[in-house]
Amino acid sequence: MTRMTYGDAVDAGLAAAMERDERVITFGEDVRLLRRTTLVRFGPNRPAHKCWNFA
Amino acid sequence: MRRTDRPTGAALERTYEAMARMRAVEEVQVRLWNDGLVPGELHTAIGEEGIVAGVLANLTPDDAIALDHRPTPALIGRGVDPESLLLEIMGDQGGMNGGQGGHMHLFAPEHRASGDGMVGSSGPIACGLALAGRRERPGSVAVAFFGEAAANEGYMMEAFNLAAAWRLPVLFVCKDNSWSITTRSSEVTGGKLTERARSFGLKTAKADGSRVDEVQATAARLIARMRAGKGPAFLHASCYRPDGHFTTDVLVRLIHDPRHEAGEIAPPLIAALRAPGGSATDRAAALATLTRRIGALAVHHARGGCDPLTRGRRRIGGHTAARIDLRVESEIAAAERTARLRARGAKADASGSAPPAAKGNHVPGQVLSDGGTR
C-alpha cells in the first residue's frame, strides 16, 4: 500500500480526476497555494470554467 | 476618540500584564508543539493580544465569551490556569477538559468561556450565551471573537440578524489580519464589514488592534451601551499575526528562510511539472500565479505590523513593563516545567501498560490534519 500524507493524498486524488476528464476543475479558497502541485501540473486555466479555476 | 478616554496608570498596567501572560503561554505552546508534544496543527493568536486584552478588560465574571480556533489568550485572560491549559493541548487527562478538547476546543464553564474550531461558530454561540445571560444575569453581555474570514460565513450573518432582532447584548469582535489563510480577504469579501454589520442594525466601531488602550476604550463605549439595553455591537479591529495561519506555516517559513525551505517545496513541484497534465503555456502561467501569490505574502510579512506588546510597553514605561514581564515569565515558566514533567510521566505510563486511547491521551504526531510531515 502506498503511504502518503493527507495533503499528498488530496493532490493525488485531484490529479487523477483532472487527468481523466478535462472538465474536472479545482476551485476554492486557498487552493492556489495549498494545492500548488495540482496547480503547476494542470495550469490555472482549465478550459471548462476558466474564471473559477484556482480562484 | 479622544486620548483622554483611554486607560492609563494602574488600569493600563493590568491590561498589559494580561497581554504579557497571554503571549508567554502562547510561546510555551509553540515550544511544546516544536517538541512534538502537541498533536495536530497549532493556531496561535500571537499579535491579537491587544484586541483580546482590551475587550476582556471591560468584562465581569457574569459576562460570557465565545472563541474561535485561537482561544488561548482569551482563556488565559479570563483566569484559566496555564498549567491545566498546557496539559489539555498535550492531550493529558489532567488538562482542563480531560485531554479531550485539543487546542481548538477548550471549554471553561467556570469562566463562561469556550472555543470552537468551526469557523464563524462563535457568532451564534455568543447569541445563545447572551440570551441565557439576559434571563439569568441581567446586565451581563456576551462577546464573540472571530476573524474577518469568519464574517463571510452564513451563520455569522444569521447571528448578526438574530442579535439585532432580539436586541441581544452581543459584542461581535472581528480580529482582522487581512489574510484568510493564504487568500487575501479583500478578494473574497463583498463590501465593508462595518457597513455590513450596520445594515443589520448593529452599532459599529473600529480600532487599531495593536493599541490596546484604544481597543479598551472603544470596547468600553460599546459594552456600556449594550449593558444599558441598547442592543448588539460590532468592533472591527486590525492586527498583524507574524506566525501566519498556523505554527511553522510552511509559506511563512519559506519567506523567512527561502534557501532552506525551497528544498522542501521545490521537489514536489518539479515532479508535478514532469507529470502529464496541462500545456507548457498553462504550466508557465501556473508558476507565475504561484510566484505572485508567494510574493504578496512575502510583502505582507516584510511590512509586518506593530506588536501590541511593544506598543503597550511604550505606553506604560520600560521599567514598569520589565518588572511585569519578569513576574509573568517566572510564573508561566513554572507552569511549563510542571506540564512537561507530567507529560513525560504520562508518556512513560502509556508505553508501559494500556494503549494511549484507553488513557484518554492523543498520540502526538500521528494524525496531522494539515497533511504535514512534522
Side-chain angles (χ1 to χ4, degrees), chain B residues 9-22:
Chain B
L12 189 58
E13 284 174 28
R14 277 195 298 277
T15 313
Y16 174 79
E17 181 166 346
M19 283 202 297
R21 187 169 287 112
M22 293 168 189

Side-chain angles (χ1 to χ4, degrees), chain B residues 20-217:
Chain B
R21 187 169 287 112
M22 293 168 189
R23 175 69 60 89
V25 175
E26 293 259 54
E27 288 174 347
V28 171
Q29 289 190 143
V30 172
R31 285 199 289 275
L32 295 174
W33 192 89
N34 283 330
D35 290 347
L37 294 168
V38 179
E41 290 178 350
L42 177 65
H43 306 82
T44 71
I46 290 173
E48 295 181 357
E49 298 92 341
I51 303 171
V52 177
V55 171
L56 293 191
N58 293 286
L59 302 186
T60 72
D62 275 351
D63 300 325
I65 56 174
L67 308 165
D68 59 10
H69 54 292
R70 306 180 191 278
T72 295
L75 291 167
I76 294 299
R78 283 292 273 184
V80 167
D81 172 42
E83 187 185 310
S84 76
L85 188 148
L86 294 173
L87 287 169
E88 179 61 34
I89 68 165
M90 290 192 284
D92 189 282
Q93 281 179 315
M96 58 189 282
N97 301 132
Q100 300 297 313
H103 89 277
M104 289 193 278
H105 302 96
L106 302 174
F107 183 43
E110 68 280 21
H111 296 289
R112 304 188 198 286
S114 67
D116 191 310
M118 298 297 291
V119 173
S121 64
S122 59
I125 290 172
C127 286
L129 292 170
L131 187 62
R134 186 158 70 185
R135 293 172 68 90
E136 295 174 2
R137 302 176 304 282
S140 68
V141 302
V143 178
F145 287 100
F146 55 93
E148 80 283 4
N152 290 332
E153 292 289 344
Y155 56 2
M156 183 60 77
M157 280 173 269
E158 290 179 41
F160 289 175
N161 180 62
L162 192 69
W166 291 359
R167 293 180 73 77
L168 296 172
V170 180
L171 176 62
F172 295 93
V173 180
C174 179
K175 306 169 293 176
D176 188 346
N177 79 325
S178 77
W179 282 85
S180 307
I181 309 185
T182 62
T183 300
R184 273 187 213 274
S185 299
S186 58
E187 292 175 3
V188 290
T189 302
K192 304 283 183 201
L193 294 180
T194 46
E195 289 172 12
R196 186 187 298 175
R198 208 175 298 134
S199 75
F200 280 96
L202 275 62
K203 175 75 175 172
T204 64
K206 284 186 173 187
D208 179 343
S210 70
R211 295 180 186 277
V212 68
D213 52 338
E214 183 179 323
V215 175
Q216 190 167 335

Side-chain angles (χ1 to χ4, degrees), chain A residues 5-6 30 32 39-41 44, chain B residues 181-183 276 278 293 368 371 373:
Chain A
T5 66
Y6 287 143
D30 286 322
R32 191 159 26 192
L39 170 65
V40 299
R41 183 166 167 186
Chain B
I181 309 185
T182 62
T183 300
R293 182 44 46 119
L368 300 181
T373 51

Side-chain angles (χ1 to χ4, degrees), chain A residues 4-10 35, chain B residues 33-34 36-43 103-104 246-248 253 264 362-374:
Chain A
M4 58 177 71
T5 66
Y6 287 143
D8 289 344
V10 170
R35 304 277 68 84
Chain B
W33 192 89
N34 283 330
L37 294 168
V38 179
E41 290 178 350
L42 177 65
H43 306 82
H103 89 277
M104 289 193 278
F246 56 84
T247 300
T248 73
R253 292 201 320 258
E264 184 182 330
H362 303 295
V363 181
Q366 277 202 335
V367 178
L368 300 181
S369 57
D370 64 342
T373 51
R374 180 150 51 93

Side-chain angles (χ1 to χ4, degrees), chain B residues 320-343:
Chain B
T320 307
R323 178 171 47 79
I324 293 172
D325 286 345
L326 197 64
R327 187 169 66 232
V328 167
E329 278 164 23
S330 154
E331 174 202 330
I332 303 304
E336 179 180 6
R337 275 195 301 276
T338 312
R340 278 181 185 274
L341 280 172
R342 187 175 167 118

